[in-house]
Each structure stands twice: as C-alpha cells, then as structure tokens.
Amino acid sequence: MSQTPFQPSSLAEYASQRQRHWQAIHQNPARPSPFSAEYHRRLAQIFQNLVSPGQRVLEIGCGSGDL
C-alpha cells in the first residue's frame, strides 16, 4: 500500500523539516530591512486597536518575536 501525504510518517518528516528550517532561521537571523522599523511601528498601531489593555498576544513563527 502506498503512503499518502497525510500518514503519520509523512507528517513526522514534514514536522522535522519545519523544525530544522526554523532552527536555522533562529541561528542565523536575517539583517533587518530598512523598512522593518516603519513596518513594525505600523503593525503596533494596528494591534493597539485590536488588543485591549491588559491582554497579551502570543506570536508564533514570526521571526524573533520582538513585535
């Protein structure tokens, strides 16, 4: 019987590849773009309107998580 992409062994390999990818990103972060400061400032403005004071946001898979 042939494997389909959704069988556990395929999912395990996919998860392993993703973990290796994000670990490499973590170990070798890209230099910030000259536009990133303005981009982060604008996102912070937007999020301030979406997240009430006292609430927290969990940021997953978004680079360094510094936003």
Side-chain angles (χ1 to χ4, degrees):
M1 184 172 189
S2 67
Q3 275 191 343
T4 64
F6 300 105
Q7 289 185 338
S9 61
S10 294
L11 288 175
E13 180 57 30
Y14 174 75
S16 178
Q17 288 174 359
R18 287 188 50 84
Q19 287 172 349
R20 286 192 304 271
H21 168 78
W22 290 114
Q23 188 64 32
I25 297 283
H26 172 71
Q27 291 174 349
N28 302 302
R31 289 189 201 174
S33 160
F35 302 104
S36 65
E38 178 59 25
Y39 173 72
H40 283 164
R41 186 189 67 74
R42 182 65 181 129
L43 283 180
Q45 288 176 332
I46 292 168
F47 292 148
Q48 285 175 348
N49 293 319
L50 298 173
V51 180
S52 300
Q55 288 185 321
R56 295 185 283 171
V57 174
L58 176 61
E59 181 183 36
I60 299 174
C62 297
S64 64
D66 62 353
L67 184 57

